[in-house]
Amino acid sequence: MDVVDMTASELLRWAAERNSATGRVPECTLCQEAFSLECSDDVSCERWCLALADKIDAELAQVHAADLRDLAAIWAVTNGWPGFREGETFGAWLERCAYKKPVDDCNEPVQFGDEIELHYRSGGMDKGRLQEVTVNNWSVWLLSFTGVDHAREYRYNREFDTIKRPAPEVLGADGKPIVTCETVYPTYGSHIGEPCKVLAVLDQDNVRVSVPGGGNERFDGCYLAHTPPDTQERIDADVLKLMTGYWDCSDFKCAECPSKVDGATPSERYNSGNGFIGCREAMIFDLLRRQRELDKRTGGAE
């Protein structure tokens, strides 16, 4: 057997027997450090190794012989839990002293204070922060939790209803939340700019999407946009557009500008002045911005 595969007792026995067979005189560090004893002529390291191996074997045998109730009784005393009553089984003690928490759809216990969603078999849903659980019978529990503007009890049937965790808010490359079933466009990888359907939103760096051609891939949310990313072809085509075509405002008055972002018109965003001239300059600034972002993403011009 290889040394690395030996148990502690096997390793100690091997070391002691090997020293005895070869007539080697080992260092006394083991005796002094492990046992706080001083060596003498009649106390050898081999004897202490064998004694230690016997001690380990005895301790393991004791652990194996102990049943779950004995181990739980030791744990209860150590951690301040109620002890076992005379003749009480482990199951009865657990039923008396422990509290069974409801579990979510991943079979993970829900802790007090957790945000949860209670989905009913009828199709309805309530959400809030879990505060208390009252067991009515073996299958029906009452969950008390605080919602947006209320606190009340909800009837929860473990056989039919489901507890779920609220989906985490994951922001895409454009700063908008990514939700399941919507179409997004990767900004890196082999599917740049291709429409992909969101299958699952697990966390910020784990968004599962179906990709063209079959299969699915994992993306960090910051690499998924709600609109197709720019291409050189699209920028080149937009350079040839009139200002009104670029901003898609030919049928609108300036006061009704359709290209506002957070309430700011193109000329206001780029501080390029007012009127036709201001929006024309804003178009140039916007094209330059898009070109810089494309070059940065694709490793183009500095």
Side-chain angles (χ1 to χ4, degrees):
M1 179 184 298
D2 194 290
V3 174
V4 296
D5 297 324
M6 293 180 182
T7 63
S9 56
E10 290 171 342
L11 183 60
L12 288 172
R13 290 184 189 280
W14 173 84
E17 291 167 358
R18 183 167 176 267
N19 283 332
S20 296
T22 59
R24 294 176 56 193
V25 179
E27 296 284 337
C28 292
T29 306
L30 177 65
C31 302
Q32 296 172 348
E33 297 296 331
F35 301 99
S36 299
L37 296 172
E38 293 185 1
C39 292
S40 61
D41 293 338
D42 60 341
V43 179
S44 67
C45 288
E46 287 83 356
R47 289 182 58 186
W48 279 118
C49 285
L50 291 172
L52 180 59
D54 291 339
K55 179 178 177 60
I56 293 174
D57 285 340
E59 290 175 348
L60 290 175
Q62 184 179 8
V63 170
H64 292 156
D67 61 19
L68 189 58
R69 182 188 183 281
D70 296 331
L71 296 176
I74 296 172
W75 183 91
V77 172
T78 303
N79 292 275
W81 277 51
F84 279 74
R85 293 172 178 171
E86 184 176 355
E88 188 174 35
T89 65
F90 173 77
W93 171 81
L94 193 64
E95 185 72 21
R96 175 171 64 90
C97 302
Y99 175 77
K100 181 175 173 57
K101 298 175 181 177
V103 297
D104 60 20
D105 54 335
C106 295
N107 205 37
E108 181 67 23
V110 179
Q111 309 297 328
F112 293 130
D114 285 355
E115 292 285 347
I116 63 170
E117 295 177 352
L118 185 54
H119 293 254
Y120 305 105
R121 97 178 127 168
S122 60
M125 187 266 286
D126 286 303
K127 62 171 60 178
R129 190 181 298 275
L130 184 65
Q131 303 294 339
E132 183 180 357
V133 178
T134 304
V135 181
N136 276 8
N137 55 48
W138 69 275
S139 64
V140 178
W141 295 0
L142 294 180
L143 273 60
S144 299
F145 58 81
T146 302
V148 177
D149 56 0
H150 60 278
R152 51 170 294 190
E153 287 188 333
Y154 298 85
R155 189 179 180 86
Y156 162 59
N157 191 313
R158 288 185 287 170
E159 288 188 276
F160 306 108
D161 305 325
T162 306
I163 294 176
K164 296 183 178 181
R165 311 281 180 166
E169 184 177 65
V170 173
L171 302 181
D174 47 15
K176 298 179 181 178
I178 297 175
V179 297
T180 56
C181 298
E182 71 176 350
T183 299
V184 292
Y185 302 87
T187 60
Y188 91 103
S190 59
H191 297 283
I192 291 178
E194 297 181 1
C196 300
K197 184 177 180 180
V198 178
L199 301 176
V201 181
L202 303 179
D203 50 50
Q204 182 62 47
D205 61 354
N206 195 352
V207 180
R208 299 283 177 174
V209 303
S210 62
V211 296
N216 62 82
E217 293 185 10
R218 179 185 67 83
F219 283 89
D220 188 307
C222 68
Y223 294 115
L224 298 173
H226 292 84
T227 55
D230 251 337
T231 63
Q232 192 62 58
E233 292 75 17
R234 187 176 296 118
I235 293 175
D236 292 344
D238 286 348
V239 169
L240 303 176
K241 290 181 178 179
L242 296 174
M243 180 274 294
T244 53
Y246 185 84
W247 296 118
D248 197 23
C249 62
S250 57
D251 296 327
F252 297 87
K253 297 179 180 179
C254 288
E256 303 169 342
C257 177
S259 296
K260 288 183 178 181
V261 176
D262 295 330
T265 65
S267 59
E268 290 172 338
R269 294 201 303 274
Y270 289 104
N271 195 26
S272 56
N274 299 318
F276 183 92
I277 300 299
C279 286
R280 174 64 183 176
E281 291 182 357
M283 171 183 168
I284 297 173
F285 291 143
D286 197 60
L287 284 166
L288 292 172
R289 173 192 62 80
R290 291 169 56 192
Q291 186 67 59
R292 286 194 299 269
E293 292 179 354
L294 177 64
D295 290 341
K296 181 179 179 181
R297 193 179 74 239
T298 59
E302 294 295 330

